[in-house]
Amino acid sequence: SMIHGMLDGLWTLLWAVAFFVIFIYVVALIFRDTLGHGQDNGEDNQDAKLVQLYFSSVPMAMYTLFRCSFGECDTRSGTPLFEHVATTHGRMWTLIYSMFLFVVVIGLFNVISAIFVESTMSSNALNASKVKQERLDNKDRWAENVVTLLRSFLVVAWPDMEGLDGLAEGRYTERMLSELVRITFPRQVIDEVVHHDEQALNALTKLDIDPSDHKYLSDILDPANTGSVSILSLVDGL
């Protein structure tokens, strides 16, 4: 299920989070070294003090950049933080902040999302394939549905055949088995069954045969277009 796919994709997500933290840490070191130290612009320069407050240490700088990465880059008073940075350190920092935001939002977040979704979908497809293979490897399930399908063909082709009622329950004689091996079904019988017999259609579905292929079953089982299908060809084809 999708839940299992998401659980399997958690390792990918954890690595993506680790990469994001490392990226924020490296950028925080740069911002801490350049913005975390006060400039000699006067003791009453409130802009400089405010900027220095938010980049006063590496952890504080990382937290500030983390908030800015998600669009929450305001001061406690609600003013844009990088307006104060631009006033104190120059307008070049608005360009640097814009580049940082572009790399994180457009680049890093999209790549992380794509990798996580791809990993989740791949894991989900792998789990579905394993479940399908387990169903195909279930011999009892396969035999039960093949017998159901075979009985539906026999009911249409030879309704008076001896022992037909006990075939679905696994009761048959050696004589009946030898007769079944020699039997061939006209393609018209197969077409009639797959168009009107609900039990046969249900058996085909349980055999993981695509419903869109049901109406083409006679063509699939008789690729040489001989007009009939033997029991052995039926079993091999399914």
Side-chain angles (χ1 to χ4, degrees):
S1 66
M2 185 61 71
I3 300 298
H4 290 106
M6 292 181 65
L7 291 176
D8 291 337
L10 282 179
W11 282 113
T12 303
L13 184 61
L14 290 176
W15 279 109
V17 170
F19 178 76
F20 176 66
V21 170
I22 293 173
F23 176 79
I24 291 295
Y25 174 73
V26 172
V27 178
L29 289 176
I30 299 173
F31 277 46
R32 164 67 181 88
D33 190 57
T34 53
L35 302 179
H37 301 287
Q39 292 188 347
D40 188 15
N41 293 329
E43 295 182 357
D44 296 331
N45 193 332
Q46 296 299 319
D47 289 325
K49 292 180 179 180
L50 194 60
V51 171
Q52 186 178 1
L53 173 66
Y54 283 94
F55 296 97
S56 57
S57 64
V58 173
M60 188 62 184
M62 289 181 66
Y63 176 65
T64 301
L65 291 173
F66 179 82
R67 290 176 53 230
C68 292
S69 299
F70 291 92
E72 183 62 34
C73 206
D74 297 332
T75 63
R76 295 174 182 173
S77 59
T79 56
L81 174 60
F82 272 84
E83 286 295 326
H84 299 285
V85 174
T87 301
T88 306
H89 297 271
R91 289 293 170 181
M92 177 62 70
W93 279 96
T94 59
L95 178 61
I96 295 175
Y97 172 65
S98 298
M99 292 175 60
F100 166 78
L101 207 58
F102 182 86
V103 169
V104 171
V105 176
I106 305 300
L108 194 59
F109 284 173
N110 282 340
V111 170
I112 291 175
S113 299
I115 292 175
F116 176 68
V117 170
E118 193 275 336
S119 176
T120 300
M121 297 303 294
S122 296
S123 179
N124 186 50
L126 181 61
N127 290 333
S129 177
K130 288 181 179 179
V131 171
K132 185 175 181 179
Q133 189 61 46
E134 289 176 358
R135 287 163 58 88
L136 292 175
D137 291 340
N138 189 331
K139 295 182 179 180
D140 293 336
R141 176 178 167 275
W142 183 89
E144 178 183 349
N145 289 289
V146 169
V147 169
T148 300
L149 192 61
L150 177 60
R151 184 180 182 280
S152 298
F153 292 149
L154 291 172
V155 167
V156 175
W158 291 277
D160 299 327
M161 185 176 183
E162 183 181 353
L164 191 57
D165 293 335
L167 184 62
E169 300 174 3
R171 293 187 283 108
Y172 56 88
T173 62
E174 292 295 331
R175 178 183 174 185
M176 183 180 181
L177 184 60
S178 62
E179 290 179 357
L180 287 175
V181 174
R182 295 193 299 268
I183 285 177
T184 59
F185 298 107
R187 293 182 55 164
Q188 294 84 349
V189 171
I190 298 176
D191 291 335
E192 180 179 347
V193 169
V194 298
H195 282 87
H196 301 98
D197 193 320
E198 291 297 330
Q199 285 187 339
L201 292 176
N202 188 41
L204 288 171
T205 301
K206 289 181 178 180
L207 289 170
D208 292 321
I209 298 176
D210 196 312
S212 62
D213 290 334
H214 290 179
K215 59 183 178 180
Y216 303 113
L217 186 62
S218 60
D219 294 327
I220 296 172
L221 297 177
D222 183 26
N225 199 26
T226 61
S228 62
V229 178
S230 68
I231 293 288
L232 295 180
S233 297
L234 174 65
V235 173
D236 290 339
L238 293 175

